[in-house]
């Protein structure tokens, strides 16, 4: 590692710009991989929806559209705060960055809490097709398929958001310490890209499951 | 990489490495320095060790299969055990040997050296990939010890999700985990090629090996996650009863096949493209001619990667997908043969008027060209809709993909390993034994798998442990070939390690060009180059008027 203009450059790189571009490209490729991961389950959802349009629409009527919409608003706001945090950390404004990172984490947690509330309500209504639980949905069987897909897709998304929240929490601590500001700027940028991606996935999950 | 005359073959004595004395191998020797290394060259060795281990297990399963098939009756193992054997063979060979084989060993070792970089873009991620691979391997071994799995390597639903009583969850988890190793390696390689090329090393000055590794990485990054989600859905269905493929809920098993082959057909190109890269390095070196049609070969690599994403439905011609889809997939399957053929023609044209040296690695490379061509042409039979109805799920298919995977990829892997062995170790192995091993492999391979084409045409289905007596002669020939093939694989396992002790020290025994040979020590130093090389010309500056050895 050799310092160059206050930036730590790892052995394999020549310049700070090269290192930054490599980080960015790496993150974008990772997001491409993630997009294909969700793409697989979305392809399955779309296929089944074409096969069973009416049953799916009937089952989707049991979704809590209000809570889903509220969550969409929460997540979109978090995208704004994370974008602002990136903007501020580049200007070296530590305190403002911390406030916005904190807000991002809080909004992420709020989303997960609302999602948990939704799951709880569905559990009470007997709409969870898990072994050992009573499944009280009275429509035709493909309706259960809808719920299977609902729990798989929202669960996978919630898992990703949980990872993103943990990542943001770690970066919050790193910004708090403020040891290598240029590195923290990169970390906020990379984590921000991931955060936006998780938001964008929700923007596909929400209309597909709630608004059909 | 410059355009000066090639050094003659057989320039034996090392001048630089012997004088300097320090290299990536002896720079530190503790176990810790190996297990926590971030040096791409050492990580290549970690992979080489793990992959050899899994290759051995997969081969053992194959040998048991061939032993069972010597007699028409199912007498050596019962049908359940037989199912577990071919499943184990497939799972291990595909995900723990073929997919990682060349990229993680030769690729890891060579990619930074070939592009004049000090390491890959993310060295720690590179080490993490190996640990993930090992973790995935442990899951799969646990599945084997827990009684094995009998779904075949394809995990088709609803059998795998609803009916099989074997360790499906454990095996699927193993494959799921190893997928992330693949993704991270691909990601790392792509960023490395984009961002770490030496000054002057433009895209069209890259060796074909780098082009093929890049194309392979592209598939790894974009296809593997679809496999991950398909396996995840199987696990969810088995563990939590969340049936996405359950026919009783209106689920469609065909969906699983679509998702599975969306990965697994491109994965075939993950398994063959790096082999093409190796051959494109070996043939110009031993023909003493620049690679013919460099640009066409480079672009054909990307062409194969892109077309490879559009042909998955040819695995489902008889699974009930629409005839219209079948026709489209058939067309694309024919089209993917075009870039493959471009490569074969260019390798052949490179030989024309060359000064051909039939060394061990060259024999492997030439075997590759022949066997790959035969495997590729029989692929066209299978891409033909009507013919596939007859040949589907017969030994013809088995023979076809083994010609590509084993005749192609494994041969290229052995050829490449021996071509770069002197670079990796600084030692030369016994050339005579390499020639013998290459010839044994070629004969053994054809004896094993050519009869399987005939069996397939005659109607012998795959995955059966007993068969009518009329097929016995061909099965016995195939099993005899398997023994010969095993000898061909075991020989390098003896003479290569032996060379570490008794092999003479060499620098560049082939007179090969390419940054890894001309700009780096043998074996290379820790961060590869004493100073960053500057590239001024195209690759493969070989000339056939240089003095022979």
């Amino acid at each position: 590692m050799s310092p160059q203009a206050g930036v730590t450059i790892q052995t394999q790189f020549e310049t700070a710009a090269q290192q930054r571009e490599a980080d960015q490209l790496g993150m974008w490729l990772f997001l491409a991989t993630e997009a294909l991961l969700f793409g697989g389950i979305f392809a399955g959802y779309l296929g089944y929806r074409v096969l069973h349009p009416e049953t799916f629409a009937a089952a989707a009527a049991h979704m809590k559209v209000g809570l889903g919409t509220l969550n969409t608003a929460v997540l979109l706001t978090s995208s704004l705060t994370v974008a602002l945090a990136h903007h501020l950390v580049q200007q070296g404004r530590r305190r403002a960055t911390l406030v916005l990172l904190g807000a991002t984490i809080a909004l992420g947690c709020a989303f997960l809490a609302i999602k948990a509330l939704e799951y709880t309500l569905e559990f009470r209504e007997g709409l969870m097709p898990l072994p050992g639980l009573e499944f009280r949905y009275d429509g035709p069987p493909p309706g259960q398929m809808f719920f299977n897909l609902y729990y798989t897709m929202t669960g996978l998304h919630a898992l990703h958001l949980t990872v993103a929240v943990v990542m943001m929490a770690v970066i919050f601590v790193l910004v708090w310490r403020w040891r290598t500001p240029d590195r923290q700027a990169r970390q906020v940028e990379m984590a921000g890209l991931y955060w936006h991606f998780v938001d964008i996935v929700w923007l596909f999950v929400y209309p597909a499951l709630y608004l059909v | 990489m410059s355009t000066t005359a090639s050094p003659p073959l057989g320039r034996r004595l090392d001048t630089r490495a012997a004088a300097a004395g320090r290299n990536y191998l002896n720079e530190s020797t503790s176990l810790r320095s190996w297990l926590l290394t971030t040096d791409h060259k050492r990580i290549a060795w970690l992979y080489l060790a793990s992959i050899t281990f899994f290759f051995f297990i997969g081969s053992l399963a194959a040998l048991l299969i061939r032993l069972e098939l010597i007699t028409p009756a199912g007498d050596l193992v019962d049908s359940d055990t037989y199912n577990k054997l071919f499943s184990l063979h497939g799972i291990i060979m595909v995900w723990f040997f073929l997919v990682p084989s060349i990229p993680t060993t030769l690729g890891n070792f060579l990619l930074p050296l070939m592009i004049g970089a000090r390491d890959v873009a993310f060295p720690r991620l590179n080490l993490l990939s190996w640990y993930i691979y090992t973790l995935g391997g442990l899951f799969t071994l646990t599945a084997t010890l827990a009684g094995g799995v009998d779904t075949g390597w394809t995990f088709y639903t609803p059998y795998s999700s609803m009916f099989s009583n074997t360790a499906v969850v454990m095996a699927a988890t193993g494959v799921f985990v190893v997928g992330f190793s693949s993704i991270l390696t691909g990601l790392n390689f792509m960023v490395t090629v984009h961002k770490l090329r030496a000054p002057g090393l433009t895209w069209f000055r890259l060796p074909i090996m780098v082009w093929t590794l890049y194309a392979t990485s592209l598939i790894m990054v974009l296809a593997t996650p679809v496999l991950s989600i398909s396996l995840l859905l199987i696990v969810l269905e088995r563990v939590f009863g969340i049936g996405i493929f359950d026919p009783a809920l209106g689920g469609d098993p065909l969906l699983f096949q679509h998702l599975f082959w969306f990965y697994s057909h491109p994965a075939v190109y993950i398994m063959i493209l790096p082999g093409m890269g190796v051959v494109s390095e070996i043939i110009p070196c031993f023909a003493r001619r620049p690679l013919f049609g460099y640009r066409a070969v480079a672009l054909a690599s990307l062409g194969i990667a892109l077309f490879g994403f559009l042909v998955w439905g040819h695995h489902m011609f008889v699974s009930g997908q629409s005839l219209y889809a079948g026709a489209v997939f058939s067309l694309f399957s024919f089209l993917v043969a075009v870039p493959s053929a471009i490569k074969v023609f260019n390798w052949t044209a490179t030989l024309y008027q060359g000064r051909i040296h039939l060394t061990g690695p060259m024999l492997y490379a030439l075997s590759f060209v022949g066997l790959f061509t035969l495997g590729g042409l029989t692929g066209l039979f299978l891409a033909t809709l009507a013919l596939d109805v007859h040949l589907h799920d017969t030994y013809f298919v088995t023979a076809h993909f083994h010609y590509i995977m084993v005749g192609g990829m494994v041969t290229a892997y052995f050829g490449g390993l021996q071509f770069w062995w002197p670079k990796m170790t600084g030692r030369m192995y016994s050339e005579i034994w390499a020639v013998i091993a290459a010839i044994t492999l070629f004969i053994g391979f054809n004896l094993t798998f050519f009869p399987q084409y005939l069996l397939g045409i005659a109607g012998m289905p795959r995955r059966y442990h007993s068969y009518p007596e009329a097929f016995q002669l061909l099965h016995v020939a195939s099993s005899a070939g398997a023994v010969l093939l095993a000898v061909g694989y075991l020989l390098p396992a003896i003479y290569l390690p032996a060379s570490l002790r008794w092999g003479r020290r060499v620098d560049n025994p082939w007179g090969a060009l390419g940054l890894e040979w001309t700009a780096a020590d043998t074996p290379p130093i820790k961060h590869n180059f004493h100073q960053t090389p500057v590239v001024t010309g195209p690759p493969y500056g070989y000339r056939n008027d240089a003095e022979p050895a």
Side-chain angles (χ1 to χ4, degrees), chain A residues 10-14 18-19 21-23 25-27 29-30 32-34 36-41 43-45 47-48 51-52 129-131 141-145 147-149 151-152 156 183, chain B residues 118-124 183-184 187 190-191 194-197 220-223 225-226 228-229 232-233 236 239-246 248-253 255 259 262 527 532:
Chain A
Q10 290 176 290
T11 323
Q12 68 273 27
F13 298 109
E14 299 280 344
Q18 187 189 25
Q19 174 168 280
E21 285 168 19
D23 282 356
L25 183 61
M27 195 61 190
L29 284 173
F30 181 70
T33 274
E34 289 274 37
L36 267 294
L37 181 83
F38 280 100
I41 184 98
Y45 173 83
Y48 285 152
L51 284 177
H52 319 285
L130 286 177
Q144 185 183 344
M145 175 66 75
F147 286 102
N148 286 347
L149 284 161
Y151 288 110
T152 311
L156 196 62
R183 235 177 124 193
Chain B
R118 286 187 285 272
D119 207 319
V120 292
F122 308 114
R124 276 187 299 175
I183 290 171
L184 294 180
L187 187 154
M190 283 182 78
V191 177
H194 271 284
K195 296 295 169 197
L196 292 185
R197 299 193 310 278
M220 283 173 163
V221 169
L222 294 182
V226 181
S228 312
I229 190 78
L232 194 64
L233 293 177
L236 281 180
V239 177
F240 298 108
I242 298 182
I244 304 289
F245 305 111
D246 185 352
L249 302 178
D252 194 341
L255 173 68
L259 293 177
F262 184 84
H527 289 297
T532 307

Side-chain angles (χ1 to χ4, degrees), chain B residues 93-172:
Chain B
M93 284 304 202
V94 169
W95 283 297
F96 295 91
F97 178 71
L98 285 167
V99 166
S101 61
I102 291 182
T104 60
T105 56
L106 294 172
N108 248 327
F109 189 90
L110 291 169
L111 184 70
L113 283 165
M114 282 183 156
I115 64 169
R118 286 187 285 272
D119 207 319
V120 292
F122 308 114
R124 276 187 299 175
L125 198 64
N126 202 12
L127 181 64
L128 180 67
S129 304
W130 180 72
Y131 277 101
I132 295 177
Y133 171 90
T134 308
L135 182 68
L138 287 177
F139 273 113
T140 306
L141 289 179
T142 313
T144 312
L145 295 176
V149 59
D150 66 350
T151 59
W153 74 280
T154 46
F155 293 108
Y156 268 19
T157 59
Y159 182 69
S160 64
S161 53
M162 301 173 75
F163 301 107
S164 174
N165 292 319
T166 55
V168 178
V169 171
M170 192 59 90

Side-chain angles (χ1 to χ4, degrees), chain B residues 219-472:
Chain B
I219 306 174
M220 283 173 163
V221 169
L222 294 182
T224 318
V226 181
L227 174 74
S228 312
I229 190 78
S230 335
L231 294 172
L232 194 64
L233 293 177
I234 289 187
V235 171
L236 281 180
E237 185 156 351
R238 280 188 78 98
V239 177
F240 298 108
I242 298 182
I244 304 289
F245 305 111
D246 185 352
L249 302 178
D252 194 341
L254 207 57
L255 173 68
F256 176 80
Q257 296 185 24
H258 274 297
L259 293 177
F260 180 82
W261 289 113
F262 184 84
Y263 162 79
S264 291
H265 196 81
V268 170
Y269 301 105
I270 295 180
M271 298 182 235
I272 195 67
L273 275 164
M276 295 171 157
V278 165
V279 168
S280 304
E281 301 303 312
I282 295 179
I283 286 182
C285 177
F286 295 117
R288 298 278 126 189
R289 286 200 65 211
L291 184 69
F292 186 88
Y294 166 83
R295 264 176 196 251
V297 179
L299 294 175
S301 308
L302 287 185
I304 290 173
L306 297 178
F307 272 118
F309 274 103
L310 304 173
V311 302
W312 78 87
H314 69 211
H315 294 271
M316 294 139 66
F317 283 162
V318 297
S319 301
Q321 78 179 350
S322 83
L323 203 58
Y324 183 69
V328 173
F329 282 122
S330 171
L331 175 72
F332 279 120
S333 307
F334 278 106
L335 284 180
V336 82
V338 174
S340 312
I342 287 176
K343 293 198 167 208
V344 171
F345 289 134
N346 283 310
W347 293 322
T348 319
T350 306
L351 296 173
Y352 179 66
Q353 290 199 341
R355 185 187 289 274
I356 296 170
H357 301 265
L358 291 176
T359 58
M362 183 63 159
L363 288 176
Y364 282 106
L366 293 176
S367 300
F368 173 96
V369 176
L371 299 176
F372 173 73
T373 305
L374 205 56
L377 287 176
T378 49
L380 295 180
F381 291 36
L382 294 167
T384 314
L385 278 172
L387 205 49
D388 185 64
V389 175
H390 174 60
L391 295 175
H392 194 88
D393 269 349
T394 66
Y395 265 77
F396 193 88
V397 178
T398 314
H400 156 67
F401 70 75
H402 279 86
Y403 261 78
I404 304 283
M405 305 285 83
V406 185
M409 187 64 164
V410 182
T411 306
Y413 173 71
F414 275 87
L417 197 59
Q418 294 172 53
F419 182 61
W420 282 290
W421 184 263
K423 191 79 222 170
M424 295 171 79
T425 62
R427 301 280 189 156
M428 188 61 202
Y429 50 85
S430 160
E431 255 291 287
I432 293 169
W433 280 107
V435 169
I436 294 171
I439 294 173
T440 312
L441 187 150
F442 185 78
I443 297 171
F445 177 83
N446 280 300
L447 189 56
T448 311
F449 291 103
F450 200 83
Q452 297 189 6
Y453 280 128
L454 306 177
L455 282 167
I457 294 171
M460 168 86 198
R462 54 194 284 211
R463 296 182 167 179
Y464 277 69
H465 81 314
S466 59
Y467 53 85
E469 281 182 18
F471 293 142
Q472 190 175 14

